[in-house]
Amino acid sequence: MDLNSASSIVLQVLTQATSQDTAVLKPAEEQLKQWETQPGFYSVLLNIFTNHALDVNVRWLAVLYFKNGIDRYWRRVAPHALSEEEKTTLRAGLIANFNEPVNQIATQISVLIAKVARVDCPRQWPELIPTLLESVKVQDDLRQHRALLTFYHVTKTLASKRLAADRKLFYDLLDFLDQHPFSFTPLIQRSLEFAVSYVFTEAGEGVVFERFIVQCMNLIKMIIKNYAYKPSKYIEVEIMFSSFLCEIIAVEETGGDSWKYSLRPCTEVLFIDIFHEYNQTLTPVLLEMVHSLQGATNLEDTSAILIKDAVYNAVGLAAYELFDSVDFDQWFKNQLLAELQVSHNRYKPIRRRVIWLIGQWISVKFKSDLRPMLYEAIRNLLQDQDLVYLESMFTLLFQLLQEVTECDTKMHVLHVLSCVNERVNVQGLGAESKNLYPFLLPIIQLSTDVSQPPHVYLLEDGLELWLVTLENSPCLTPELLRIFQNMSALLELSSENLKNCFKIINAYVFLSSTEFLQTYAVDLCRSFCELLKDITTEGQVQALKVVENVLKVNPILGPQMFQPLLPSVFRGIIDGELDQILGNMIEMWVDRMDNITQPERRKLSALALISLLPSLNRVHMKLSFIPQIIQIDI
């Protein structure tokens, strides 16, 4: 296809293809489809969509036809593949000028460049990345933006390649960056100023979005942790972090709810990294903040309370870095203890933070002589440690669990319930713990019911709470027995929570094997038969250990209830006549019985043998083994 003569014709047909009149549209589409395999067609399309004077709709359609052609005809092995000469021309034209004024078309051009790069870069298109890098450096905002957009799509596409050779090349388009960190040195100051300004000052309010903030934090973290920048520590960088430390600390509490629930963990990790790398410079800054907050805080000044909360949070996060710089024992006696005794409702955030702060330091630097004072302060905060307090607390926590909408908050509430229930046994409630069931069991029921949407994020903690409850239960109550109906569906999930599921089943067996087996053994046996087909060898071993415990604890009902289990497993993994296989196995088992020396194991083995007999269809085989089993000395 001659470019000069064909351009006007192709332009006319593309214009017709944008028509709303089907009588005009359909013939134009058919003509374009015939031209897809014509040499020179894509060069014509390139000339059309890079001509900014033409109609936007026509240019848009030209880009789409070009992009579709890459998928069909760019690879050398494709039918009607483009010639290498034309592809060379097209590659050069695509990156000749990053000045597309229309955003939608610019995006499509970036995507099609990435599609070509996936096939040709770097071997057939070695100049692509250098050209993009040079274009990013230009002072023209439009060209710089278009080059960055293209760079983004190219990098994203190359990273998605799966062949080993391609991935090696890409991870090598990474070794280069790691081996030349000093080329970034002139940009360190500006990069840090940019990131800190938009993340930790008012400059970013209403402008930046969450992913951008996270990427800025990652940029700061990469700079401070890069091995090439560590020897000198760059005095200018240290000075910068000193001046911005106040903002980094305060933003956690003053930046709104989005900071508290989603970005706060990122900020805390960044703070820890910064403090670790520049602790000599930043320790005096943080200690000065602590000193300025000594004494009582005005309860009417919400900002002052939040700042104190943030500074105490920073001291807790940096506990190990501040070991030699803070006399925590004196601080506890002279300041923190008094703050725990302020009972005003507005001071709740500080009391909460002080308790957390002590928890961070208690394993770092806290004299044992001071612990009675701490316990007394905690007791006063709790006001009452008896069951009445616990009942009201569980009621409120359960109400909170139902009312909150944040997944993270729901999981925290459930985790607290599990921890408190575990501590309750330590405090000696013992048999009285069953009085907590009206509050505990609905929570367990909700969080382990796979038909309820919340189970997706509550299941793990719900199983922990269930297990702790069983471990502290003096007996098996009807209510506790009833919630086991959730277990069959949980076993069907075959998830990473199976281990806890097996522990829960064991707990039921040990609490009341007869009542439990009579109610659930049939369903449980059926679930195990299905489960053993799908799980790993390790999981199968754990499941069979549960069966072993059933046989041990209840040698009467156990073999009867779980008798169908082993034949079901054998049918799934063994080809051949089941009677013959079982018969051979039982015969060998009986013959080797004397090798089992422990009486308990011999008894268990004999029970297992007896449980297999009903699986044999041939009566004479059953009768022949009974005398041999009876004669076993147990």
Side-chain angles (χ1 to χ4, degrees), residues 524-533 564-566 568-569:
L524 192 59
C525 185
R526 187 183 303 115
S527 296
F528 270 41
C529 288
E530 294 299 320
L531 180 67
L532 288 170
K533 300 175 184 177
L565 181 63
L566 289 180
S568 175
V569 176

Side-chain angles (χ1 to χ4, degrees), residues 424-489:
V424 160
N425 183 56
V426 175
Q427 293 176 355
L429 286 177
E432 297 300 321
S433 64
K434 66 181 181 182
N435 294 330
L436 300 176
Y437 289 175
F439 315 104
L440 286 174
L441 301 192
I443 299 170
I444 297 172
Q445 170 69 33
L446 173 69
S447 57
T448 62
D449 184 355
V450 298
S451 66
Q452 299 292 327
H455 90 275
V456 175
Y457 43 84
L458 296 179
L459 179 57
E460 185 174 353
D461 285 317
L463 289 173
E464 291 284 352
L465 182 60
W466 193 355
L467 181 59
V468 169
T469 301
L470 288 167
E471 290 174 345
N472 293 319
S473 297
C475 61
L476 185 62
T477 65
E479 297 79 12
L480 198 56
L481 184 64
R482 192 176 302 119
I483 63 171
F484 191 81
Q485 61 191 358
N486 286 354
M487 184 56 70
S488 293

Side-chain angles (χ1 to χ4, degrees), residues 136-155:
V136 167
K137 298 176 183 178
V138 299
Q139 297 303 312
D140 187 316
D141 290 344
L142 179 64
R143 289 187 61 193
Q144 192 176 61
H145 177 273
R146 299 316 189 213
L148 283 170
L149 179 67
T150 304
F151 213 154
Y152 166 75
H153 284 286
V154 168
T155 305

Side-chain angles (χ1 to χ4, degrees), residues 19-74:
S19 172
Q20 301 297 318
D21 186 353
T22 55
V24 177
L25 172 65
K26 291 297 182 182
E29 288 181 339
E30 288 297 325
Q31 181 61 67
L32 289 169
K33 186 172 182 62
Q34 293 177 15
W35 283 340
E36 283 182 357
T37 57
Q38 292 295 315
F41 176 61
Y42 294 96
S43 297
V44 173
L45 291 178
L46 175 65
N47 287 342
I48 290 174
F49 69 69
T50 55
N51 186 346
H52 303 160
L54 297 177
D55 180 74
V56 170
N57 293 325
V58 173
R59 295 173 57 226
W60 169 268
L61 194 59
V63 171
L64 293 183
Y65 268 95
F66 193 106
K67 187 173 71 171
N68 293 335
I70 294 172
D71 293 329
R72 296 171 185 167
Y73 310 114
W74 197 272

Side-chain angles (χ1 to χ4, degrees), residues 192 195 199 211-225 266 269-270 273:
L192 290 175
V199 175
R211 287 186 62 187
F212 175 82
I213 293 173
V214 172
Q215 292 301 326
C216 284
M217 291 185 185
N218 285 337
L219 175 62
I220 297 172
K221 185 175 179 179
M222 290 170 66
I223 291 174
I224 66 173
K225 294 180 75 70
C266 301
V269 170
L270 177 61
D273 286 331

